[in-house]
Amino acid sequence: MTTFLTFTILGLVLGAVYAIAASGLVLTYTTSGIFNFAHGAQAMLGTFLYWQFTYGWGWPAWLSLIVVVGVAGPAMGALLHTLIMKGLRETADVTKIVVTVAILLGMVYLSQWIWHPEDARIMEMFFGAGAKIEFGGVVVRVHELICLVVAVAVAIGLRLLFTRTRVGVVMRGAVDDPDLLRLGGHDPDRIAMLSWAMGSTLAVLAGILVTPIGGGALEANQLTLLVIDAFAAAMFGRLRSIPRTFAGAMVLGMAATYVMAFFPTEWTWTGNLRVSLPMIILFVVLIVLPQDRLRVAAVRTRERYRPPTPRSAAVWGVALVAAVFLLALLMDDGSITTFALGMTFAIIALSLTLLTGYAGEINLAPLSFGAVGTIIAFHFGVTGSGLASRLTLWGVLLAVLVTAVVGGLVALPALRLRGLYLALATMAFGVFLSNMVLRDTVEHTVFGVTFSIFPNGTLIVPPLRVGPLDLRDPRTFLMTATVLFALIAVGLAALRAGGYGRRLAAMKDSPAATAMLGQNLVKLKFGVFMLSAAIAGLGGVLMASAGGSVAGDNFSIMASLALVMLTVVGGIGYISGALFGGLMAGVGFTIMVATFNDLAVVHPSMETIYKTIGQLLVVATALIGMGVGENPSGNVHKIVEGYRTLRGAKGLLAGAAAVEAVLYVLALTGVVGNWWFAILTVCLAMALPVAGRMRAEAPVRATPLELAGLDEPYTDELRERLDRELGLPVRERTAGKEASVHAAA
């Protein structure tokens, strides 16, 4: 009985912290309509600030609490709303999600830069671990009591705020009908900013309270994911009800501690299950609870995508293969391997173009499906041993097939979900796979067969060999990955242009109208999920093969979120957006950091400056994602629009091509280095749209009067100009307009 009471109290304490964090989520969503995926990162950043003030600089704990919870937390939330969130009106769900994901990643990168992950940082409980109170033989720490009291106070306070105060009613109206709220003399933006400040404060408070309970050293990713577990509690209340959110948090906390207390110790997967339990509950809650009705009409957003025709996609695919071939001639084997890794990420990103860009279904865990394909290929697709081992074609095909089936199994219970709920369901699947499957390194015996899903935490995946095609050569691997990307891209373009693609586009625009016209939404969603998962599975196998080995961290939810964010930044509805997102997620961070680290080694006197620039670039990548709200169609759309000014400028394009050819020859012969070639190429690409705009805006010389009607056709403007030049009276058309204007006046 004592054990039961002890773990019940521990569960209530953990649930109390979940309740505080989830209440902040409910608060911000209720008043702004935006689900804050960065909630855990805000808690993490506030906790690191508290550690810095208290343990790094020796401030009193009470003063650190006042500064962090009372000042830094509210300021963080208010700034986020003012600078970013209020600009997300009339954007699609995926844009709102990706902006908060970008904030999450930016905060994680910032914290890892300021507080290096290799340095251990420990936080103690309030009043110390020795401050205890005994109730009926059960020992409770003072810190744990504080968590319970604070959670109850937050729940009661928010309940009273929303039901008994004018401010709470106004907060709910800020998202329900902001225009009506303005007519009542209130400012919706100011109300939303207040709610974001309060939500951020609760997140920071939850992070400070939960860290000493969990024990261990402060780590950015773990603390962020720990608070993300509160998402399940928030969904208990359907992001509306504080009491149901509080009850769900308590169930969540006690379930986690009961698993740890009462599951048999010989079950090797008990620890993984306890960590995965919040995401399992989140997935179940999303499936069981009633969903919103289908949208009756399309919601017009600011995203505008122009999918390419199959012909143009084929042309650009050939151009991509040729460009990669020429670039490979300039690279050494190490750079080629890195480039090939980026191309495999781009293939995974193509699954997002199909699923999200074309069909409007959101998947926040594409690398998790890549992990499924990799596990199948490792166990069933490798032949030989040692250096003679090879990945077989049948193993790759089996991996793709099994991943498609897993995608269908994940989609099957989630067929009723859309938008935010679907995003949360796929995120729950990704975190569950990382915690439950990719951490399973022990041996199991089933029907006399002994196996390990992820032996030693690393999977060795050798290159593919099919007849004369051997991908052990880095250049061959790179070109094969590029050709596969181009072929899949052309296939997606053909699919989008066909009847199936038009049905997907209709489902994205208005599911209700699509269903009313006789389309089977279940079949559409099920099919597109399976096809998308198959593409991600193929990319995952190639990614593992490109590096030779992969660990569970290569498929983490953070890596998936980065890939999704960068693909949306490039343009989720464009194939080229997948190329941008894949290359940036796969090799962009690595190249940026490695380059400036190398410069720091070569120039020791400027080591600090070079390393700082490298870290700033990584954080700046996340900042780009925060700006998606201003350019929701993606950077590719913006770049393409800039190049449209070059239509008809054959001389300018020919000159640019000649300059680029000269630069390439100079780089190939070693006259200029590869970095100078890359820098000058980027400068040339950026200068072309500017030159095109200058050309378009240049004043056009007026046609001589004696050539009027010869060099340009007669128009009303030309006739009026002739009248003015010849001193003739205004023609009747113009006079009639002026008379009507005077009459109206």
Side-chain angles (χ1 to χ4, degrees):
M1 187 65 179
T2 302
T3 302
F4 174 77
L5 289 176
T6 300
F7 281 96
T8 297
I9 292 176
L10 287 176
L12 290 174
V13 171
L14 183 59
V17 178
Y18 284 153
I20 296 171
S23 298
L25 276 171
V26 173
L27 180 62
T28 54
Y29 185 81
T30 302
T31 55
S32 66
I34 298 173
F35 187 88
N36 185 16
F37 280 85
H39 200 67
Q42 290 176 256
M44 175 272 303
L45 196 58
T47 305
F48 270 102
L49 283 175
Y50 175 79
W51 180 93
Q52 185 64 48
F53 292 152
T54 305
Y55 299 92
W57 295 342
W59 290 16
W62 63 268
L63 180 59
S64 300
L65 273 176
I66 292 175
V67 173
V68 175
V69 178
V71 179
M76 192 189 313
L79 285 174
L80 284 177
H81 176 267
T82 303
L83 299 178
I84 300 172
M85 298 304 168
K86 72 176 184 180
L88 295 182
R89 295 185 184 275
E90 299 180 354
T91 57
D93 288 337
V94 66
T95 301
K96 295 176 181 177
I97 291 170
V98 163
V99 168
T100 56
V101 166
I103 297 170
L104 181 153
L105 295 173
M107 289 182 173
V108 170
Y109 298 151
L110 180 64
S111 67
Q112 291 175 341
W113 174 24
I114 298 174
W115 297 280
H116 200 279
E118 294 182 0
D119 298 332
R121 297 174 180 85
I122 306 296
M123 281 180 54
E124 297 180 358
M125 294 185 176
F126 293 154
F127 303 104
K132 305 174 183 178
I133 299 176
E134 185 175 345
F135 293 102
V138 178
V139 177
V140 182
R141 296 181 178 88
V142 173
H143 183 96
E144 295 169 346
L145 283 177
I146 292 174
C147 292
L148 289 171
V149 172
V150 170
V152 172
V154 168
I156 295 175
L158 289 179
R159 176 67 176 174
L160 294 175
L161 173 69
F162 282 130
T163 59
R164 300 294 180 86
T165 67
R166 183 178 180 85
V167 174
V169 175
V170 171
M171 281 184 171
R172 290 195 313 228
V175 66
D176 292 337
D177 197 335
D179 293 331
L180 182 60
L181 200 64
R182 288 190 182 91
L183 293 177
H186 300 285
D187 185 355
D189 288 334
R190 183 177 299 175
I191 296 298
M193 183 181 68
L194 175 62
S195 69
W196 274 85
M198 295 172 62
S200 179
T201 301
L202 293 176
V204 171
L205 180 60
I208 295 174
L209 291 175
V210 76
T211 301
I213 296 175
L218 276 175
E219 202 280 320
N221 287 329
Q222 291 181 0
L223 181 55
T224 299
L225 292 175
L226 182 62
V227 179
I228 282 177
D229 289 345
F231 287 5
M235 292 311 301
F236 260 97
R238 299 291 291 162
L239 297 173
R240 299 186 185 94
S241 172
I242 294 295
R244 287 200 299 267
T245 297
F246 190 87
M250 293 303 166
V251 171
L252 192 65
M254 287 190 291
T257 55
Y258 287 161
V259 167
M260 182 173 57
F262 300 113
F263 273 41
T265 55
E266 60 269 19
W267 290 1
T268 56
W269 45 269
T270 298
N272 293 339
L273 176 63
R274 185 187 67 82
V275 177
S276 306
L277 193 60
M279 291 298 106
I280 298 175
I281 294 176
L282 173 60
F283 192 87
V284 172
V285 168
L286 288 168
I287 301 304
V288 172
L289 290 181
Q291 304 300 313
D292 295 333
R293 294 181 179 180
L294 292 177
R295 288 183 286 130
V296 175
V299 177
R300 299 303 173 190
T301 62
R302 291 186 278 123
E303 287 82 351
R304 296 293 180 267
Y305 298 120
R306 298 178 182 177
T309 63
R311 181 177 179 180
S312 63
V315 172
W316 284 109
V318 172
L320 173 65
V321 173
V324 171
F325 175 78
L326 293 175
L327 287 175
L329 298 178
L330 303 175
M331 301 179 182
D332 55 24
D333 287 348
S335 299
I336 289 176
T337 300
T338 304
F339 195 2
L341 183 65
M343 289 305 304
T344 62
F345 270 82
I347 292 175
I348 300 175
L350 281 176
S351 68
L352 298 173
T353 300
L354 169 64
L355 185 65
T356 306
Y358 293 171
E361 306 297 319
I362 303 174
N363 176 18
L364 293 185
L367 290 179
S368 297
F369 293 101
V372 173
T374 301
I375 292 172
I376 298 300
F378 170 79
H379 286 287
F380 302 103
V382 177
T383 182
S385 60
L387 295 176
S389 62
R390 287 292 187 274
L391 184 62
T392 64
L393 178 60
W394 293 111
V396 175
L397 294 177
L398 178 63
V400 172
L401 178 62
V402 172
T403 307
V405 173
V406 172
L409 292 176
V410 173
L412 195 59
L415 289 176
R416 299 163 54 241
L417 304 178
R418 281 188 60 84
L420 171 63
Y421 299 135
L422 182 59
L424 287 171
T426 55
M427 183 178 181
F429 167 73
V431 176
F432 164 78
L433 190 80
S434 296
N435 292 336
M436 193 71 189
V437 179
L438 303 186
R439 289 185 180 182
D440 192 354
T441 59
V442 300
E443 291 186 346
H444 306 276
T445 301
V446 180
F447 301 115
V449 179
T450 301
F451 67 94
S452 176
I453 296 178
F454 221 85
N456 301 319
T458 303
L459 299 184
I460 307 298
V461 183
L464 174 69
R465 182 170 63 188
V466 182
L469 180 65
D470 189 352
L471 300 190
R472 189 173 292 277
D473 177 64
R475 283 179 171 78
T476 304
F477 193 106
L478 172 60
M479 295 311 303
T480 302
T482 305
V483 170
L484 283 175
F485 176 88
L487 291 176
I488 297 173
V490 173
L492 292 183
L495 181 147
R496 177 62 181 82
Y500 185 75
R502 289 193 291 271
R503 289 195 293 273
L504 291 180
M507 180 179 67
K508 175 183 178 181
D509 192 51
S510 179
T514 306
M516 191 173 62
L517 291 174
Q519 299 299 321
N520 191 323
L521 295 183
V522 172
K523 287 184 178 180
L524 282 175
K525 287 187 177 183
F526 191 71
V528 75
F529 255 99
M530 291 188 66
L531 184 56
S532 172
I535 296 173
L538 174 62
V541 173
L542 292 175
M543 181 192 76
S545 180
S549 65
V550 288
D553 291 341
N554 294 113
F555 305 106
S556 68
I557 190 64
M558 291 298 181
S560 286
L561 292 176
L563 178 60
V564 173
M565 179 199 73
L566 290 168
T567 304
V568 174
V569 167
I572 194 70
Y574 293 105
I575 292 169
S576 49
L579 180 63
F580 171 87
L583 291 177
M584 285 299 299
V587 301
F589 296 146
T590 303
I591 291 177
M592 286 188 294
V593 175
T595 298
F596 285 97
N597 284 342
D598 291 342
L599 289 173
V601 173
V602 175
H603 305 282
S605 60
M606 301 182 65
E607 178 181 2
T608 303
I609 295 176
Y610 281 128
K611 288 187 175 181
T612 300
I613 294 174
Q615 293 294 339
L616 279 174
L617 288 176
V618 173
V619 176
T621 304
L623 293 177
I624 295 174
M626 298 179 198
V628 171
E630 299 297 326
N631 185 27
S633 299
N635 289 338
V636 171
H637 175 81
K638 188 174 181 179
I639 292 172
V640 170
E641 290 298 321
Y643 274 88
R644 293 187 187 280
T645 59
L646 297 174
R647 287 180 176 178
K650 296 181 179 179
L652 187 60
L653 292 173
V659 172
E660 182 64 19
V662 171
L663 290 175
Y664 179 80
V665 172
L666 293 176
L668 189 63
T669 56
V671 177
V672 298
N674 289 347
W675 276 109
W676 275 111
F677 169 73
I679 293 172
L680 292 174
T681 298
V682 170
C683 291
L684 179 63
M686 294 174 62
L688 276 176
V690 176
R693 284 194 296 270
M694 293 175 62
R695 173 180 171 274
E697 295 172 0
V700 179
R701 187 177 61 180
T703 302
L705 293 179
E706 61 269 23
L707 298 179
L710 299 176
D711 281 6
E712 64 175 300
Y714 275 112
T715 61
D716 291 335
E717 290 76 16
L718 182 57
R719 292 189 183 95
E720 292 176 5
R721 179 179 165 225
L722 285 171
D723 290 343
R724 286 195 303 271
E725 294 291 336
L726 296 175
L728 298 176
V730 179
R731 302 177 67 87
E732 292 183 2
R733 181 184 67 85
T734 305
K737 282 186 178 181
E738 292 178 350
S740 62
V741 170
H742 288 303

